[in-house]
C-alpha cells in the first residue's frame, strides 16, 4: 500500500526508506508482504486521513510504530497480563530507540527526536497532542485492518471489552470519525458515543 501523503523533505524520505527497509525483513507475511512493512504503510495511510497536516515527527512515529517488532517475541515474557504489559513497554522502548537512530542519521535534531521517542513510548496519552494523534492513528489502523480477523479469535464478551478499551484510548474527534467511517454495530457503538 503506497503512502498517499507525499514526503515533504529529503530527510523524511530517508527515514521512511530506512523504516520500510527494516520492516521489509519481517519473516511474517500477510497478503504477500512483510507484516511489519504492511502495518507501517497502513499507519501512514490512516495518518494521512486523520491528520493530513501532521508534522514530520508524527508521520515518522506512525510509520515506525512497530519497526522490527518481530525481533522481540511475545513468548519471551510471561504469558499473563503483566508479561504482556512488560512486552509492550519494551517494544515501545525498542521502537523509539531504533527510530531515534534513523532520525539522527537523516539529520533530525535532538528536540524532534525526543518528540518521536515520547510518541513511540506513549508518554502522555490524553495529555500530549502528538502522543494522542499517534494513538488515534493506531486505533484506526486496528479497526480498519485488524479488528475483523481478530474478532474471529475471541468470544463476543471479550470483544466488547476490547472495543471499549480501544475507544477509551481515542480522542473525542477520532471516536466521532470512527462512527462516521466504520459500520460499528451495537453494542460496540456505545463505546464511541461516550
Amino acid at each position: 500500500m503506497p503512502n498517499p501523503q507525499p514526503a515533504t523533505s529529503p530527510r523524511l524520505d530517508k527515514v521512511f526508506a530506512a523504516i520500510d527497509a527494516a520492516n521489509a525483513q519481517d519473516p511474517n507475511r500477510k497478503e504477500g508482504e512483510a507484516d511489519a512493512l504492511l502495518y507501517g504503510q497502513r499507519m501512514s495511510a490512516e495518518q494521512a486521513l486523520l491528520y493530513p497536516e501532521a508534522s514530520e515527527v508524527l508521520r515518522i512515529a506512525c510509520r515506525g510504530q512497530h519497526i522490527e517488532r518481530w525481533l522481540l517475541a511475545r513468548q519471551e515474557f510471561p504469558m499473563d497480563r503483566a508479561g504482556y504489559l512488560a512486552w509492550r513497554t519494551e517494544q515501545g522502548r525498542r521502537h523509539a530507540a531504533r527510530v531515534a537512530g534513523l532520525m539522527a542519521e537523516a539529520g533530525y535534531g535532538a528536540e524532534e527526536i525526543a518528540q518521536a521517542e515520547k510518541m513511540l513510548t506513549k508518554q502522555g496519552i490524553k495529555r500530549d497532542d502528538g502522543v494522542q494523534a499517534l494513538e488515534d492513528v493506531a486505533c484506526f489502523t486496528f479497526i480498519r485492518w485488524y479488528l475483523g480477523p481478530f474478532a474471529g479469535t475471541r468470544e463476543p464478551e471479550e470483544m466488547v471489552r476490547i472495543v471499549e478499551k480501544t475507544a477509551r484510548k481515542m480522542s473525542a474527534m477520532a471516536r466521532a470519525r470512527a462512527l462516521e467511517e466504520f459500520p460499528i454495530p451495537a453494542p460496540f457503538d456505545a463505546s464511541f458515543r461516550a
Side-chain angles (χ1 to χ4, degrees), residues 152-164:
T153 68
R154 299 293 191 268
E155 294 298 321
E157 301 79 26
E158 185 181 6
M159 280 309 302
V160 170
R161 286 191 304 276
I162 289 167
V163 171
E164 286 172 354

Side-chain angles (χ1 to χ4, degrees), residues 9 11 30 38 55 57 79 97 104 118 150 184 192:
S9 72
R11 64 184 188 163
K30 282 197 178 141
L38 188 59
S55 68
V57 173
M79 297 305 287
K118 183 177 184 180
F150 184 74
I184 301 173
F192 292 88

Side-chain angles (χ1 to χ4, degrees), residues 12 17 22 25 33 46 49 58-60 67-68 73 80-81 83 101 105 120 124 126 146 167 169 179 189-190 192:
L12 181 60
Q25 303 307 308
E33 296 255 12
E46 296 301 328
L49 293 172
L58 176 57
R59 292 173 68 187
I60 290 167
I67 189 169
E68 300 175 335
D80 57 14
R81 177 101 177 119
E105 288 173 17
L120 289 165
K126 301 289 185 184
Y146 301 97
K169 292 189 233 177
L179 287 170
D189 65 339
F192 292 88

Side-chain angles (χ1 to χ4, degrees), residues 13 26 29 32 43 48 64 71 82-83 102 129 193:
D13 286 336
D26 187 349
R29 300 284 175 194
M43 284 286 290
L71 294 177
L102 296 176
D129 290 344
R193 298 183 194 285

